[in-house]
Amino acid sequence: MRPDFVPDHVPERAIRPLLIAGAHGTLGRAVERICHTRGLVTVALGRAELDVTSPVSAEKVLDAVRPWAVVNTAGYVRVDAAEADAGLCFSENATGPSVLATACAARNLPFLTFSSDLVFDGEQDDPYTESSKPNPLNVYGRSKLAAEQRVLAVHPQALVVRTSAFFSSWDEYNFVHFAVQAARRGEQFEAADDVRISPTFVPDLVNTSLDLLLDDAAGIWHVTNHGSCTWAELARMAIERAGLSPDLVVPRPMAHFDLPAARPRQSVLVSEKGIVLHTLEHALDRCVREMEHHPIGV
């Protein structure tokens, strides 16, 4: 029997790995962790092993790993720094995904990449759906919109998941962790009270995105927890669930923080395709409980 022979009755994902690009970031580590619990074999690679901006690197890795699908979690994540670093931001956020999508399309491989609520300008009052017209206000948002357009142009069956303000108990690099840790130290925590978002729990985001990938979903999908709030409300809810005083949260207008990148006044996402995740309250309950039972670094 040829070593590359796959019987018709055995799914390729039972034999071949899922390739994860961006292994060392929050999403990359979460995808690998959840795949392990779901029995999905993975090969997770960082920048040193897979340069997503290089067609030669992408093609070499795909031919060596022979995955059944590719999940891209690599990218430039510093929204404010991007204003002075547009070239690198576009290279990592737009060129990288399009390079991977091109390589996947040539091999007829499913491809998943992630986008952002910051592709919208916040001018409409209603939540944004998949068919809402994007109009980003900052460099980061423009790079994400460019990625969506380039990926779907070269790989129309690719899956693009837009999400918003994700938080997790698995690492410390997120708003909920910062808010709770500040409250535990008895410190006040300033947060914007005039910007509305759709906070998203990383395990819910990853599980639902993997479900869509396994179901051969294509195109743009919005995946967020059900509900919306301001950043200040999010901080209060998280701190209260940790058994601490929500009065430590100091509401401020976004202008107070004098950030380089403009933000939409509201970037709430909902799906017109029938995606319904747990409520934000349910997600925060689980997140804070996990933070208490499994502290980072302990």
Side-chain angles (χ1 to χ4, degrees), residues 57-279:
S57 178
E59 291 168 5
K60 182 179 179 180
V61 168
L62 287 182
D63 288 341
V65 175
R66 297 182 66 251
W68 65 267
V70 176
V71 176
N72 177 48
T73 66
Y76 191 103
V77 299
R78 301 180 299 279
V79 174
D80 291 300
E83 294 298 303
D85 205 6
L88 182 59
C89 179
F90 267 79
S91 176
E92 295 188 2
N93 283 358
T95 302
S98 65
V99 164
L100 286 176
T102 299
C104 286
R107 293 159 178 77
N108 197 30
L109 294 177
F111 177 65
L112 161 63
T113 193
F114 293 88
S115 189
S116 168
D117 59 329
L118 293 181
V119 300
F120 297 112
D121 60 15
E123 290 303 310
Q124 74 178 41
D125 293 328
D126 296 329
Y128 289 95
T129 67
E130 290 89 348
S131 60
S132 297
K133 184 179 179 180
N135 184 35
L137 300 178
N138 55 47
V139 168
Y140 177 86
R142 290 194 289 274
S143 74
K144 285 296 190 179
L145 178 58
E148 294 179 3
Q149 295 169 337
R150 295 180 192 180
V151 164
L152 292 174
V154 299
H155 193 341
Q157 295 307 306
L159 172 60
V160 178
V161 170
R162 285 187 189 138
T163 191
S164 169
F166 56 72
F167 59 94
S168 169
S169 61
W170 295 342
D171 69 47
E172 60 189 17
Y173 304 109
N174 65 85
F175 180 88
V176 166
H177 180 87
F178 295 148
V180 171
Q181 290 305 108
R184 283 177 176 159
R185 294 190 298 267
E187 300 171 0
Q188 290 189 328
F189 186 81
E190 295 183 336
D193 65 348
D194 58 350
V195 170
R196 201 157 194 87
I197 52 172
S198 301
T200 308
F201 190 34
V202 167
D204 290 349
L205 168 65
V206 171
N207 272 306
T208 301
S209 298
L210 287 173
D211 288 343
L212 290 171
L213 182 66
L214 291 165
D215 288 342
D216 299 319
I220 295 172
W221 292 70
H222 286 184
V223 178
T224 65
N225 284 104
H226 181 67
S228 66
C229 62
T230 66
W231 289 104
E233 289 169 342
L234 177 61
R236 289 178 63 88
M237 287 190 288
I239 289 171
E240 193 167 26
R241 281 165 171 76
L244 302 165
S245 173
D247 293 338
L248 288 167
V249 177
V250 180
R252 302 287 192 193
M254 181 61 79
H256 167 81
F257 299 97
D258 195 25
L259 299 173
R263 264 68 166 184
R265 65 178 178 83
Q266 79 89 5
S267 55
V268 178
L269 302 181
V270 296
S271 178
E272 60 193 5
K273 298 183 177 182
I275 292 290
V276 180
L277 273 66
H278 291 294
T279 65

Side-chain angles (χ1 to χ4, degrees), residues 19-23 43-62 65 70-72 74 99-100:
L19 176 61
I20 304 167
V43 172
L45 302 178
R47 188 191 307 271
E49 300 89 5
L50 171 56
D51 178 359
V52 299
T53 67
S54 165
V56 172
S57 178
E59 291 168 5
K60 182 179 179 180
V61 168
L62 287 182
V65 175
V70 176
V71 176
N72 177 48
V99 164
L100 286 176

